[in-house]
Amino acid sequence: MRDILVIGGNRYFGKRLITRLIAAGDRVTVLNRGSSAPPAGAVHLVADRNDENSLGKALGSRTFDVVVDQVCYTPRQAEIARRVFAGRTGRYVMTSTVEVYEYENTAGLVREDAVDPRTVTVDLELPWQDTEFLDAHYGEGKRQAEAVLAADPAFPYVAVRVAHVLGGGDDFTGRLDHYASRIRSGEPIAVPAVNHPATYIHVEEIADFLVWAAGAEFTGPVNAASHGLLSTDELCEAVAAQVPEGKTVFRSVEVGEVSPFSFTRAYGMDNSRARRLGFTFGEARHWLPRAVAETLGKGN
């Protein structure tokens, strides 16, 4: 039986991760600010992960085989975590994002070495505590958080760079609802003049991936994405199948805000490292109709 700590993880694929770990027989502790209780079977610790004293006091003398950090968004948070968990865990899995590749633009799929966290500049003086700043610099926050963890060669970290997640009736993002409402009303869907496809992963698959990553032995960054790129057209086709009375109309824009899942740059992720390490991905086009049906409430 492993002792596993999950920081955050009370919604969406985090809930699924915790449920899977408990079902596998792991002793699971969930740490959050106390806003919601973890799934049944988990130990609950309450602390502010931004406060090093609060975090250390809540943990006490506990040690863990694995820590899965679902809510590390800034280099400041990563610095606290690295100090607190050094010597306290055998493995530290940080949930990162495809957005670390926000400066990449390639015709091919992007590999992990396109962003080496050991070469990323860290600026702890930026206003990471400001919500608006953090929202506008989400990818950069994750890049710098990875860099802080990578700076200590002895710290056994993994950064799971997660593709855009789809599926589940509890998808709280509203991104597919954005398309459904416009298709239903015939309102134009704004897309870039040159609109690139992207990589995605199903909510159940990323939960499986994180369980697998927790039990593996590799370290460093790893991309987590289903096989195949999906375009905005394909997403809308799947949404339209659930909204048969609607009409899909695209409006190409040169500047200004565009719809979710429409991209001015190409940065689909190469998943070959994870495959070589032993994880088997599904095909995005195979699960897309089910994912859309789940989220729009017609697949439950």
Side-chain angles (χ1 to χ4, degrees), residues 151-225:
D152 181 357
F155 193 73
Y157 90 101
V158 175
V160 177
R161 294 172 177 173
V162 183
H164 306 288
V165 182
L166 293 175
D170 55 338
D171 182 349
F172 59 91
T173 64
R175 293 172 297 188
L176 291 181
D177 287 324
H178 168 93
Y179 287 111
S181 65
R182 279 159 176 74
I183 291 171
R184 188 175 292 111
S185 65
E187 184 180 351
I189 297 167
V191 296
V194 179
N195 188 17
H196 294 276
T199 41
Y200 295 82
I201 192 164
H202 191 272
V203 63
E204 303 292 346
E205 187 170 40
I206 187 55
D208 289 339
F209 189 94
L210 289 169
V211 171
W212 169 78
E217 296 182 355
F218 68 90
T219 56
V222 62
N223 291 338

Side-chain angles (χ1 to χ4, degrees), residues 1-280:
M1 176 184 291
R2 298 176 301 179
D3 279 304
I4 299 182
L5 173 69
V6 179
I7 305 176
N10 275 343
R11 62 180 181 175
Y12 208 33
F13 59 84
K15 287 191 308 183
R16 291 164 171 83
L17 163 67
I18 294 167
T19 300
R20 281 162 166 76
L21 293 173
I22 293 171
D26 293 311
R27 187 164 35 240
V28 179
T29 301
V30 175
L31 185 145
N32 60 30
R33 289 176 296 181
S35 56
S36 57
V43 175
H44 191 195
L45 298 180
V46 176
D48 180 357
R49 63 93 36 83
N50 296 302
D51 183 330
E52 188 167 348
N53 290 331
S54 171
L55 184 57
K57 183 177 179 181
L59 293 171
S61 61
R62 292 177 176 87
T63 61
F64 303 94
D65 298 299
V66 185
V67 174
V68 183
D69 191 343
Q70 292 280 85
V71 289
C72 186
Y73 299 113
T74 74
R76 292 181 187 174
Q77 292 174 331
E79 275 222 330
I80 290 172
R82 196 183 70 184
R83 286 196 295 265
V84 169
F85 290 103
R88 195 191 283 266
T89 184
R91 188 166 182 77
Y92 194 94
V93 179
M94 170 193 162
T95 301
S96 189
T97 174
V98 61
E99 296 299 332
V100 300
Y101 300 118
E102 63 182 333
Y103 306 128
E104 310 306 313
N105 191 0
T106 175
L109 299 178
V110 66
R111 297 195 314 249
E112 290 86 353
D113 57 8
V115 175
D116 182 346
R118 295 169 298 182
T119 67
V120 171
T121 300
V122 173
D123 188 348
L124 296 173
E125 300 308 312
L126 291 172
W128 295 113
Q129 75 286 352
D130 182 89
T131 301
E132 287 188 10
F133 178 85
L134 184 56
D135 287 346
H137 298 82
Y138 174 70
E140 185 60 28
K142 289 287 193 178
R143 282 164 59 93
Q144 292 194 27
E146 287 190 24
V148 168
L149 299 182
D152 181 357
F155 193 73
Y157 90 101
V158 175
V160 177
R161 294 172 177 173
V162 183
H164 306 288
V165 182
L166 293 175
D170 55 338
D171 182 349
F172 59 91
T173 64
R175 293 172 297 188
L176 291 181
D177 287 324
H178 168 93
Y179 287 111
S181 65
R182 279 159 176 74
I183 291 171
R184 188 175 292 111
S185 65
E187 184 180 351
I189 297 167
V191 296
V194 179
N195 188 17
H196 294 276
T199 41
Y200 295 82
I201 192 164
H202 191 272
V203 63
E204 303 292 346
E205 187 170 40
I206 187 55
D208 289 339
F209 189 94
L210 289 169
V211 171
W212 169 78
E217 296 182 355
F218 68 90
T219 56
V222 62
N223 291 338
S226 297
H227 295 303
L229 295 164
L230 295 175
S231 66
T232 307
D233 286 18
E234 289 173 296
L235 290 174
C236 287
E237 182 179 349
V239 171
Q242 302 297 324
V243 190
E245 71 279 11
K247 180 180 180 182
T248 304
V249 179
F250 293 108
R251 177 170 59 87
S252 178
V253 296
E254 294 288 348
V255 295
E257 188 173 351
V258 295
S259 296
F261 302 139
S262 54
F263 303 101
T264 58
R265 64 193 184 282
Y267 64 137
M269 292 197 296
D270 182 322
N271 64 15
S272 59
R273 183 181 190 219
R275 288 189 286 113
R276 286 195 304 270
L277 290 166
F279 190 82
T280 301

